[in-house]
């Protein structure tokens, strides 16, 4: 039963939203051939439009923050409201009824992963400096984890950090870094002790992205956009108070980020792609393309929708645990794994439904638009930890299976 506190909070949220934005159109009411048929998972906007998109996200986050909804669960001393995750979930549910700016450029990585990591591991001056700025929309954060020679195997990072007096000097290369081109800070994992076991000689630092020696280069995707970047760190000097956690204790810091990352990626359930996976949308697509009578396709559709429902159930279970104060666990690795696989299967299923219409634009509503999702699927199975990493985690930490053998060649390339 909803408590008076929750009713009051919900009423306050609706008053705030009614005063600032209009109601969103009903996304569940599908009329085939009407509205935007975009299926883009990644942005393909021109640079100027992308900057305007980011500015709208910052502005809406600032308005949220000024009205007490920018960091609902955050500590009051850092600009948060000190309420529970249930209040946060309630606000998200109410806000989804309104036509607000997409704040994913701030929230998915920065507020969803880096913010909780800074709160848990940063030194007081860094918390004071960056947490209010992030949740006010002034600062965007990126994750400097993956490397060309390590991929998602974060224990094998080779970027070096060497102590020089009160500072650390960082050298190395990061890759597949989302939103680095918009970020003011980045959370970097570095190797500080090459002699220690690979999970131990790692230290985490918060890197100002405008520091001398930081260079961001965009990576062009086959969808046309450039959501990811390479980040080169060349003699980047970082004060010791920008260190998160203990020296050589960066693995613990990384785990905090990763658990929140998988919770964020795996629980994504809004936007045009999520709506396209609905039974109504996919069955309407089959009827519009005269494939509804194909029993083999309908069987595949049923299998896909069952897995989508199972993933939603898993997310709902994780949210119930969160409400009870339990930190994200291995179920979020399962959810992340299923999320990428479901989207990939959906794109391939639709390819078979559409045939040549997914590679040649006939102008028919709701057909060629699926190309963008199809071309994005390889990245969906990599971001947030590759499927191989997810399966290793589940095999070793959940099922208790022996660790994967490391070949002699692999040992030679590891630090």
């Amino acid at each position: 039963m909803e408590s008076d506190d929750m009713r009051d909070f919900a009423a306050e949220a609706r008053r705030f939203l009614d005063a600032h934005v209009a109601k969103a159109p009903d996304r569940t009411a599908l009329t085939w051939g009407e509205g935007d048929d975009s299926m883009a998972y990644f942005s393909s906007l021109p640079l100027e439009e992308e900057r305007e998109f980011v500015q709208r996200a910052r502005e809406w986050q600032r308005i949220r923050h000024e009205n007490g909804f920018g960091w609902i669960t955050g500590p009051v001393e850092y600009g948060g409201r000190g309420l529970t995750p249930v209040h946060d979930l309630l606000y998200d549910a109410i806000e989804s009824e309104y036509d607000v700016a997409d704040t994913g450029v701030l929230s998915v990585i920065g507020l969803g992963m880096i913010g909780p990591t800074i709160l848990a591991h940063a030194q007081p001056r860094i918390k004071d400096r960056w947490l209010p700025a992030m949740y006010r929309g002034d600062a965007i954060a990126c994750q400097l984890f993956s490397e060309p020679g390590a991929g998602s195997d974060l224990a094998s990072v080779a970027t070096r950090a060497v102590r020089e007096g009160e500072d650390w000097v960082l050298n190395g290369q990061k890759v597949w870094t989302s939103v680095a081109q918009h970020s003011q800070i980045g959370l970097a994992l570095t190797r500080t002790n090459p002699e220690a076991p690979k999970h131990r000689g790692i230290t985490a630092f918060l890197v100002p992205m405008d520091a001398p020696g930081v260079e961001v280069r965009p990576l062009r995707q086959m969808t046309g956009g450039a959501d990811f970047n390479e980040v080169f760190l060349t003699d980047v000097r970082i004060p010791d108070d920008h260190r998160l956690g203990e020296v050589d204790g960066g693995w613990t810091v990384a785990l905090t980020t990763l658990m929140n990352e998988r919770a964020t990626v795996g629980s994504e359930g809004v936007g045009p792609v999520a709506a396209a996976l609905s039974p109504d949308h996919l069955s309407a697509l089959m009827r519009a393309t005269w494939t509804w009578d194909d029993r083999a396709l309908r069987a595949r559709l049923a299998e896909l929708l069952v897995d989508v429902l199972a993933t939603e159930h898993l997310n709902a279970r994780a949210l119930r645990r969160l409400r009870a104060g339990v930190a994200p666990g291995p179920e979020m690795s399962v959810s992340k794994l299923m999320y990428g696989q479901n989207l990939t299967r959906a794109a391939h299923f639709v390819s078979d439904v559409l045939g040549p219409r997914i590679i040649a634009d006939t102008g028919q509503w709701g057909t060629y638009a699926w190309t963008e999702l199809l071309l994005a699927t390889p990245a969906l199975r990599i971001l947030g930890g590759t499927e191989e990493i997810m399966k290793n985690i589940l095999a070793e930490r959940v099922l208790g299976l022996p660790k994967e053998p490391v070949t002699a060649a692999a040992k030679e390339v590891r630090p």
Side-chain angles (χ1 to χ4, degrees):
M1 180 181 294
E2 193 176 35
S3 67
D4 290 344
D5 169 60
M6 285 298 170
R7 276 193 290 272
D8 292 345
F9 179 78
E12 180 191 350
R14 290 190 186 282
R15 283 195 300 273
F16 158 64
L17 290 163
D18 286 338
H20 290 87
V21 286
K23 284 274 192 171
D26 184 0
R27 298 185 179 97
T28 62
L30 172 67
T31 301
W32 190 259
E34 293 184 3
D36 184 2
D37 66 348
S38 171
M39 292 294 160
Y41 186 90
F42 297 113
S43 169
S44 57
L45 296 173
L47 182 59
E48 283 305 312
E49 289 185 34
E50 186 174 319
R51 286 174 177 163
E52 292 174 6
F53 177 86
V54 173
Q55 187 54 39
R56 287 196 296 273
R58 288 180 184 274
E59 179 65 15
W60 178 238
Q61 181 61 26
R62 181 187 62 75
I63 293 172
R64 278 179 181 155
H65 189 271
E66 288 177 350
N67 288 273
F69 297 99
W71 193 11
I72 292 168
T73 60
V76 174
E77 62 266 35
Y78 298 120
R81 189 147 171 190
L83 298 177
T84 69
V86 181
H87 289 86
D88 204 20
L89 294 170
L90 178 59
Y91 176 77
D92 287 346
I94 295 172
E95 193 190 77
S96 69
E97 301 170 11
Y98 291 80
D99 190 16
V100 300
D102 182 348
T103 56
V105 68
L106 294 101
S107 59
V108 174
I109 296 174
L111 308 186
M113 307 174 199
I114 309 297
T117 307
I118 292 174
L119 181 63
H121 299 285
Q123 299 174 46
R125 193 179 79 83
I126 298 302
K127 293 181 184 179
D128 292 340
R129 167 69 181 85
W130 289 109
L131 287 176
M134 289 173 65
Y135 287 90
R136 197 169 50 236
D138 295 344
I140 296 175
C142 63
Q143 185 190 80
L144 300 169
F145 280 14
S146 294
E147 296 186 0
S152 295
D153 182 10
L154 300 180
S156 294
V157 297
T159 293
R160 292 293 308 274
V162 177
R163 186 76 182 253
E164 288 190 5
E166 295 302 313
D167 295 338
W168 294 81
V169 178
L170 277 56
N171 281 283
Q173 179 189 351
K174 300 293 181 177
V175 73
W176 305 122
T177 310
S178 303
V179 304
Q181 71 273 38
H182 303 300
S183 294
Q184 283 65 55
I185 51 172
L187 175 59
L189 293 183
T190 66
R191 177 74 50 191
T192 44
N193 185 354
E195 306 303 322
K198 68 174 190 174
H199 285 82
R200 294 181 184 169
I202 297 171
T203 303
F205 294 94
L206 205 60
V207 178
M209 296 299 285
D210 60 354
V214 177
E215 181 184 2
V216 178
R217 298 180 187 173
L219 291 169
R220 186 66 58 185
Q221 302 142 212
M222 57 183 170
T223 52
D227 285 54
F228 306 104
N229 302 272
E230 296 175 293
V231 178
F232 295 85
L233 306 171
T234 305
D235 294 329
V236 178
R237 189 168 286 274
I238 302 295
D240 185 59
D241 66 2
H242 283 55
R243 171 172 47 80
L244 272 64
E246 301 296 323
V247 175
D248 295 342
W251 188 246
T252 302
V253 179
L255 289 179
T256 301
T257 307
L258 292 177
M259 284 300 102
N260 285 285
E261 177 180 56
R262 283 149 201 171
T264 301
V265 173
S267 62
E268 286 187 85
V270 297
V273 173
L277 289 184
S278 69
D280 287 348
H281 195 114
L282 292 173
S283 60
L285 174 67
M286 292 184 69
R287 289 190 172 89
T289 53
W290 301 95
T291 54
W292 183 247
D293 291 334
D294 186 324
R295 292 186 177 184
L297 282 176
R298 283 165 58 181
R300 285 176 57 193
L301 174 62
E303 291 172 0
L304 170 64
L305 293 178
V306 166
D307 283 348
V308 171
L309 287 173
T311 307
E312 291 174 356
H313 175 74
L314 190 64
N315 287 334
R317 178 181 169 187
L319 289 176
R320 287 196 296 272
R321 288 166 57 85
L322 187 64
R323 288 171 185 166
V326 180
E331 71 274 10
M332 298 317 299
S333 292
V334 179
S335 181
K336 190 274 167 189
L337 187 64
M338 293 302 297
Y339 179 73
Q341 292 190 353
N342 289 343
L343 285 180
T344 301
R345 287 174 58 201
H348 290 180
F349 167 77
V350 171
S351 297
D352 291 339
V353 170
L354 293 175
R357 283 170 289 200
I358 202 168
I359 57 174
D361 190 357
T362 63
Q364 183 180 3
W365 192 93
T367 57
Y368 183 70
W370 281 89
T371 302
E372 284 205 63
L373 179 61
L374 180 64
L375 295 178
T377 54
L380 296 176
R381 302 179 75 166
I382 294 173
L383 62 82
T386 65
E387 290 190 355
E388 288 75 14
I389 290 291
M390 294 296 107
K391 289 175 180 176
N392 276 347
I393 290 172
L394 295 170
E396 295 172 8
R397 300 182 189 174
V398 179
L399 302 178
L401 297 177
K403 287 183 178 296
E404 187 178 30
V406 178
T407 65
K411 288 180 179 176
E412 288 178 2
V413 300
R414 289 180 179 177

